[in-house]
Amino acid sequence: MTLVIYWNLDLKYLYIGEVFEGVSGGFNGVILASYAYTADNTPPKNSRTIGIALIDFTTYLAAAASQVITGYFIKDLGYLYPSITTTSLMLLSLILVVVLLPETINKDRRSQYPSPVKAVKTVFGFYFSKDFGQRRSLFWLSLTAYFITYFSMNGVFFMEYLFQLNLPFCWGPELIGYFNMALYLSRQMLGIPVIKLLHLCTSDPEICIITSVILSVSFVLNGVANTDVMIFLSVLPNGIAAPLLPALRAIMSRMAPPEMQGSLFAGIGLVNIISLVTGTTVFNEMYNATVKMLRGFAFFACAGCQLLSAVTMVVFLYTSRRRIVTDTSTVGINDNV
């Protein structure tokens, strides 16, 4: 991208960069590795939820800073220097990983890597293999809730720019930057405290249900907004709902064996990519088709997705509790024998 900007090349050359990003996994590859690394270094208790949440909220903090800076950066200096800055930061990140982070997989374990075909089967084994027994239904339910949530959040993310640029708001890059900064900072500042507070009286599945409902309220507020203040009011419930995705990832992480964390997060990374592609397309088309009829319709649809995710987690909670009761009964019979 930097070279295309510097030499003012045809924009078709950007496809080359997209290919490199796709092969390397891009942002989803970095996040996947970060989740797996965190799972390798934290115990399988609530602390894993905190560890995974810290990655998300660190991302939110960085995004908050970059959003407000980039708006002014582009306005005053054009596109070249922001692109150079981004490239430099990526190189710095690479150096920090190589120099500072210790390896969590020893050489003996590396020599036992499975074939690509077996590795792919392992990624999907949580949902199809009989080895997981009744847990397969729990994996399916949690993955369904995760896909619905990520699908709608990704879809509305890009569509929100169109919403803010359009009438009656007509926002410029600075105001969009301030809004995104407020959004990411609210997630950063409220996410961890909300998890800690809710863990005092609820479990991770219950946190998912509560935050899904709160997030749907945030999208409804955005959908009915007709002033700048009303859009900014949606920031608070969005921040309170920040633990939703980390809690879902932590639930799946605790159900998977320690040696299969990488496979689990590889599957989650694939869901991230699928939901990003489909969500962006669906919600952009939905916005274009309904903007003249009902400007906030896509946000209402997104709120409905969050409620559907909450219902899915209610089923998950009921199924998991019934499974615990069944497992306890089975143990009792065996003991008597």
Side-chain angles (χ1 to χ4, degrees):
M1 180 178 291
T2 304
L3 295 177
V4 169
I5 295 171
Y6 182 75
W7 280 311
N8 196 24
L9 301 175
D10 192 306
L11 293 181
K12 292 180 180 178
Y13 284 102
L14 290 176
Y15 285 111
I16 299 175
E18 291 297 319
V19 170
F20 281 119
E21 182 179 1
V23 171
S24 67
F27 174 76
N28 287 298
V30 175
I31 293 296
L32 161 62
S34 301
Y35 291 150
Y37 191 88
T38 301
D40 284 345
N41 288 280
T42 54
K45 297 286 185 180
N46 287 341
S47 57
R48 181 170 296 185
T49 308
I50 300 297
I52 293 174
L54 279 172
I55 295 176
D56 284 348
F57 300 143
T58 302
T59 305
Y60 296 149
L61 181 61
S66 66
Q67 286 291 336
V68 68
I69 292 172
T70 302
Y72 287 103
F73 216 174
I74 293 174
K75 182 180 179 181
D76 296 336
L77 298 174
Y79 291 95
L80 177 62
Y81 289 103
S83 184
I84 292 175
T85 303
T86 301
T87 304
S88 302
L89 289 173
M90 292 302 299
L91 290 175
L92 176 61
S93 177
L94 176 63
I95 293 172
L96 291 175
V97 169
V98 172
V99 174
L100 297 181
L101 289 187
E103 180 58 75
T104 57
I105 301 178
N106 56 45
K107 293 182 179 179
D108 293 335
R109 185 176 166 190
R110 286 186 178 189
S111 64
Q112 299 172 359
Y113 278 168
S115 65
V117 175
K118 187 176 180 180
V120 171
K121 289 182 178 179
T122 303
V123 169
F124 297 103
F126 305 102
Y127 316 102
F128 298 102
S129 176
K130 295 181 179 179
D131 295 338
F132 289 94
Q134 295 181 353
R135 275 188 297 172
R136 281 187 302 172
S137 61
L138 298 180
F139 275 116
W140 271 112
L141 287 169
S142 56
L143 187 70
T144 300
Y146 184 87
F147 173 79
I148 293 171
T149 299
Y150 212 76
F151 165 81
S152 56
M153 291 180 68
N154 271 318
V156 81
F157 176 77
F158 292 102
M159 185 272 296
E160 195 164 32
Y161 289 110
L162 301 176
F163 183 75
Q164 293 165 354
L165 289 168
N166 204 348
L167 294 171
F169 310 107
C170 300
W171 283 9
E174 298 92 344
L175 195 53
I176 291 176
Y178 280 126
F179 173 79
N180 286 328
M181 181 187 69
L183 189 64
Y184 291 130
L185 281 180
S186 69
R187 293 173 180 172
Q188 171 70 25
M189 296 174 66
L190 296 176
I192 298 295
V194 169
I195 288 179
K196 286 289 189 180
L197 181 63
L198 292 178
H199 269 157
L200 296 176
C201 54
T202 60
S203 62
D204 277 344
E206 291 166 335
I207 290 176
C208 293
I209 296 169
I210 294 170
T211 51
S212 290
V213 174
I214 294 174
L215 189 57
S216 69
V217 172
S218 173
F219 287 128
V220 170
L221 286 174
N222 220 328
V224 300
N226 53 22
T227 65
D228 295 355
V229 173
M230 293 181 69
I231 292 184
F232 275 92
L233 283 176
S234 67
V235 168
L236 180 60
N238 203 299
I240 296 174
L244 174 55
L245 287 176
L248 282 170
R249 296 186 190 104
I251 288 170
M252 290 187 279
S253 178
R254 280 197 298 274
M255 291 192 297
E259 70 277 5
M260 298 182 69
Q261 294 295 316
S263 298
L264 172 72
F265 286 113
I268 294 176
L270 179 61
V271 171
N272 288 351
I273 295 171
I274 295 173
S275 61
L276 174 61
V277 174
T278 57
T280 302
T281 304
V282 168
F283 278 91
N284 279 351
E285 291 298 322
M286 187 186 301
Y287 177 77
N288 290 333
T290 60
V291 64
K292 293 182 179 179
M293 176 185 67
L294 183 60
R295 190 176 62 251
F297 179 84
F299 287 105
F300 300 145
C302 196
C305 287
Q306 302 310 315
L307 292 178
L308 181 58
S309 177
V311 171
T312 304
M313 289 311 298
V314 170
V315 176
F316 174 94
L317 191 61
Y318 172 77
T319 304
S320 61
R321 288 177 176 175
R322 187 179 63 178
R323 176 175 174 269
I324 291 173
V325 171
T326 303
D327 290 348
T328 304
S329 301
T330 304
V331 171
I333 293 172
N334 290 337
D335 287 345
N336 291 333
V337 173

